[in-house]
Amino acid sequence: MNILFNILIALGCVISGYLLGSANISIPLGKLIFKQDPRDYGSHNCGATNCGRLWGKKYFFIVFFFDVFKTIASLYICWAVLTFIPFQNGHGLMPEVYAMHRGGTEVADYLVKWPVYWCACVGAVLGNIFPLFIKFKGGKAASTYLGITITTSWGFLVIGIITYFTTLFKSRYVSLSSIICGVCNALVSWVWAILLLTKVIPDNLVCMLNWAPILYCNYVYAIMMTILVAIMVYRHHENIG
């Protein structure tokens, strides 16, 4: 019963992330201001990069930050609902980071003992690529991936900035830079997850790479990042070719 409940919670996070991720600003923006649908031009998607090529840097940043916002909104809404709403015995369904890391008796009374909120990010990326409200034809997920990296961990952000701009400086390809950045961050997330799993990291440093001690970047985060990077690489197969 508990396993089934955890699966349902995970699916709920994916669905909520997908619905928020399906929200789009580039198409109404293009039709309202330029009388254009970005999917009819350039790379034929409604992502920030294509919008920037069509309408300029200003609109690149508008679309990019909207995609970032909807991604982190789905993540933090799921985290807050599961952590703070008193579903049982006066506490939430999911323990806080340090209790989750220590495990044992500290999480015994909770129904959800793992950071299930990361599933919302997968849903948000799928919503960005296959948006429900615009006939399942969206972007390439680079901005949503970057949004997760930027807003959850300063450590992964630094690694991402170094790899992204180094690759961009060497190659002049935005798509290649996004792919290299994603692959490097996914690899580092697995190294960090293994360190947490083996209890090498002291409790007071568990959230060392995060902006705040509220999100747990363990193996679930590493799995989520790997899935997102794989999706992003697949979506850039034309650029790779």
Side-chain angles (χ1 to χ4, degrees):
M1 184 64 182
N2 192 33
I3 294 175
L4 177 61
F5 183 80
N6 275 257
I7 292 173
L8 291 174
I9 291 293
L11 286 175
C13 290
V14 172
I15 291 170
S16 62
Y18 174 76
L19 292 175
L20 279 171
S22 293
N24 177 271
I25 196 175
S26 61
I27 293 175
L29 193 67
K31 290 183 176 180
L32 182 66
I33 298 176
F34 301 100
K35 310 301 180 186
Q36 294 176 335
D37 187 328
R39 295 172 296 177
D40 296 332
Y41 304 90
S43 58
H44 300 285
N45 70 72
C46 54
T49 301
N50 195 41
C51 293
R53 291 194 189 106
L54 287 174
W55 308 321
K57 293 181 180 179
K58 174 184 175 181
Y59 295 95
F60 165 83
F61 285 110
I62 291 174
V63 175
F64 173 78
F65 283 116
F66 181 83
D67 286 346
V68 169
F69 173 77
K70 68 184 183 182
T71 306
I72 63 171
S74 64
L75 170 65
Y76 283 95
I77 287 171
C78 287
W79 167 80
V81 168
L82 293 170
T83 303
F84 293 115
I85 295 181
F87 287 99
Q88 56 168 2
N89 301 326
H91 58 67
L93 293 175
M94 185 179 63
E96 295 183 355
V97 171
Y98 295 112
M100 199 179 297
H101 177 66
R102 287 188 287 265
T105 57
E106 292 194 44
V107 298
D109 294 332
Y110 292 90
L111 291 176
V112 181
K113 300 176 175 63
W114 55 290
V116 66
Y117 40 75
W118 293 120
C119 294
C121 296
V122 177
V125 168
L126 292 175
N128 180 265
I129 298 171
F130 308 109
L132 177 65
F133 311 117
I134 50 174
K135 300 179 180 180
F136 305 102
K137 189 177 180 182
K140 292 186 177 180
S143 57
T144 49
Y145 163 77
L146 290 173
I148 296 167
T149 304
I150 291 169
T151 56
T152 59
S153 169
W154 67 265
F156 291 113
L157 172 61
V158 170
I159 295 168
I161 288 174
I162 293 171
T163 54
Y164 181 87
F165 284 104
T166 300
T167 308
L168 186 63
F169 178 76
K170 295 284 186 179
S171 68
R172 304 296 181 183
Y173 286 110
V174 173
S175 297
L176 179 63
S177 304
S178 299
I179 291 169
I180 297 298
C181 169
V183 171
C184 286
N185 270 353
L187 292 174
V188 173
S189 70
W190 277 109
V191 173
W192 182 251
I194 291 170
L195 292 175
L196 290 175
L197 192 63
T198 55
K199 305 295 183 181
V200 173
I201 307 298
D203 287 353
N204 60 338
L205 297 179
V206 167
C207 297
M208 183 175 64
L209 291 182
N210 291 11
W211 289 113
I214 57 177
L215 301 175
Y216 192 30
C217 295
N218 67 343
Y219 68 92
V220 180
Y221 176 79
I223 292 171
M224 184 272 300
M225 290 288 282
T226 303
I227 293 172
L228 298 192
V229 171
I231 292 172
M232 184 173 66
V233 171
Y234 173 75
R235 290 290 290 173
H236 283 86
H237 67 277
E238 291 181 359
N239 302 75
I240 295 171

